[in-house]
Amino acid sequence: MMEKSRSYEEFKESFREQLKNTLGDSIEIQEQNCLKNNDLQVEMLTCKEEGKNLTPRIRTREFYDLYRQQGMKTAVEVATEILGDRRKVDIHKVIEPWEVMKSGVNVEVINYEWNQDRLKKEKIVYEKILDQAVVFTVNLREDEDLKMTITSGLLEQWKITRDELMNVAYENFAKADYAIISYEDVMEQLLGLRIESKLCVLLNRSRLRGASGMLRIDLLQDLADKKESNLLILPSSVNEVLLLAEEDNTLDMDSVKKMVEDINRDYVDEEERLSDNIYIYKRETGEISIWNSEEANCE
């Protein structure tokens, strides 16, 4: 007999209880609202274990969705596996001396205005570029599936300055594995369909948090030279940006900006939105700027 579907509140209570039974009495399961990208408050379940200095967390709403699709048993099994894996990490052993960890430092971009609370409350180290906050991350594992955003407290632990961090991060970033591929190829890989388009996609190897590639001037310049054109940079999400040769654009720029705003509002998860602005890369100067209708009308 099929289980009657629970409401979200009913699910949370049962899910928390079953997780505790599975993980054992030494584990304390707590509900917590966490500040995430774009200053969103996200409901999490934390797994606190006595004597451990790392508190693994999972997103409650995501597991409610999994429960509705595949049932409570699957939701509990997946959560147990994830939490069990993360509980093995000892943060004091993971955060090693700067000389050991600096090769795993890199950069990501988030929206500056949309993340004011998070930047201040978490004391995140950042540099403001355009309307973005460039933040710095460090890999906690070689497979890069666990990262930490670098805060002022971590700089103190490493006994380094902000400038030292930035120099190493940008050096690593310049060598990181980013690529520009055709939108047609992306759609064929994802959907098995060949959709004709003059757009390109700039992303990183993992296809996660790769929008920082818009700061890779070497890649932008190479494409601009091939196209013999300035480039429009469209912020698809924090994971990637879209590129279009200015010469290939058939819409007026106000329409392009409205399209970005509409797509953000209707199709991009709020936590993954990067910006409502569009950017222009100037081939002759190698500079990126935010497109502004008033300035454009004065040219």
Side-chain angles (χ1 to χ4, degrees):
M1 184 171 149
M2 185 174 286
E3 176 189 9
K4 180 182 177 182
S5 180
R6 293 177 169 91
S7 68
Y8 181 55
E9 293 301 322
E10 291 171 335
F11 163 78
K12 285 196 297 182
E13 183 177 350
S14 178
F15 183 57
R16 187 171 62 248
E17 188 62 33
Q18 291 193 44
L19 271 180
K20 184 170 180 59
N21 291 338
T22 303
L23 294 171
D25 292 336
S26 63
I27 308 298
E28 185 179 357
I29 306 293
Q30 298 177 331
E31 287 186 43
Q32 189 178 63
N33 283 329
C34 297
L35 200 57
K36 294 295 184 179
N37 189 44
N38 295 333
D39 282 348
L40 290 179
Q41 292 283 348
V42 177
E43 282 189 291
M44 310 283 283
L45 281 182
T46 65
C47 173
K48 190 172 183 180
E49 186 172 5
E50 189 175 349
K52 293 284 187 178
N53 44 51
L54 187 68
T55 305
R57 301 179 296 191
I58 56 174
R59 295 172 181 243
T60 317
R61 179 66 67 173
E62 291 181 0
F63 280 88
Y64 180 58
D65 293 339
L66 180 60
Y67 152 72
R68 294 178 65 186
Q69 295 167 7
Q70 299 187 39
M72 183 66 79
K73 184 174 183 289
T74 298
V76 172
E77 286 176 350
V78 172
T80 301
E81 182 176 352
I82 292 172
L83 291 171
D85 185 47
R86 293 177 183 173
R87 282 164 56 209
K88 297 174 185 175
V89 179
D90 186 325
I91 202 68
H92 289 156
K93 293 179 180 178
V94 168
I95 302 298
E96 299 189 75
W98 169 245
E99 290 300 321
V100 175
M101 300 204 73
K102 67 181 185 180
S103 63
V105 169
N106 216 310
V107 306
E108 294 181 1
V109 290
I110 59 177
N111 189 283
Y112 175 74
E113 290 296 335
W114 298 347
N115 283 280
Q116 285 295 290
D117 282 351
R118 182 173 171 236
L119 290 170
K120 291 174 184 175
K121 289 179 180 178
E122 298 183 10
K123 298 181 180 179
I124 292 172
V125 182
Y126 70 92
E127 178 183 25
K128 187 174 185 294
I129 296 180
L130 302 171
D131 62 341
Q132 305 298 318
V134 179
V135 299
F136 306 93
T137 63
V138 59
N139 296 332
L140 301 182
R141 289 179 175 172
E142 290 184 4
D143 57 11
E144 301 183 16
D145 71 335
L146 187 61
K147 294 184 179 183
M148 174 180 284
T149 302
I150 296 173
T151 63
S152 58
L154 199 47
L155 293 189
E156 292 174 8
Q157 184 174 334
W158 280 331
K159 296 182 173 59
I160 63 168
T161 65
R162 178 176 179 272
D163 286 343
E164 287 177 289
L165 169 69
M166 289 174 56
N167 288 339
V168 168
Y170 283 121
E171 284 178 11
N172 292 344
F173 176 59
K175 298 178 287 188
D177 193 4
Y178 287 78
I180 296 175
I181 59 180
S182 72
Y183 187 80
E184 295 172 339
D185 286 346
V186 172
M187 288 297 100
E188 188 167 25
Q189 291 170 16
L190 293 176
L191 305 176
L193 301 174
R194 193 73 179 172
I195 301 174
E196 187 174 344
S197 174
K198 293 183 178 180
L199 286 167
C200 293
V201 184
L202 199 168
L203 35 66
N204 60 11
R205 180 179 59 186
S206 69
R207 302 195 176 192
L208 294 172
R209 298 285 177 174
S212 49
M214 67 179 282
L215 303 178
R216 283 286 297 267
I217 301 300
D218 57 325
L219 299 178
L220 298 178
Q221 187 65 42
D222 184 53
L223 180 63
D225 288 342
K226 288 177 181 176
K227 298 287 187 178
E228 297 184 347
S229 171
N230 296 332
L231 301 176
L232 303 184
I233 304 173
L234 311 180
S236 174
S237 74
V238 293
N239 298 316
E240 71 283 308
V241 295
L242 302 179
L243 305 176
L244 179 66
E246 192 173 35
E247 301 301 319
D248 290 335
N249 179 34
T250 58
L251 300 174
D252 66 87
M253 292 294 284
D254 284 307
S255 297
V256 175
K257 187 172 190 308
K258 186 176 186 306
M259 179 183 68
V260 169
E261 293 171 351
D262 290 345
I263 289 174
N264 270 337
R265 184 183 65 248
D266 297 334
Y267 298 104
V268 181
D269 187 90
E270 191 173 356
E271 192 180 341
E272 296 196 338
R273 294 174 193 169
L274 180 62
S275 177
D276 282 336
N277 287 315
I278 54 178
Y279 311 87
I280 295 182
Y281 176 75
K282 295 289 187 179
R283 181 189 177 202
E284 293 303 319
T285 63
E287 295 179 344
I288 305 171
S289 60
I290 297 173
W291 178 80
N292 183 296
S293 60
E294 293 181 3
E295 293 178 6
N297 291 334
C298 292
E299 293 180 356

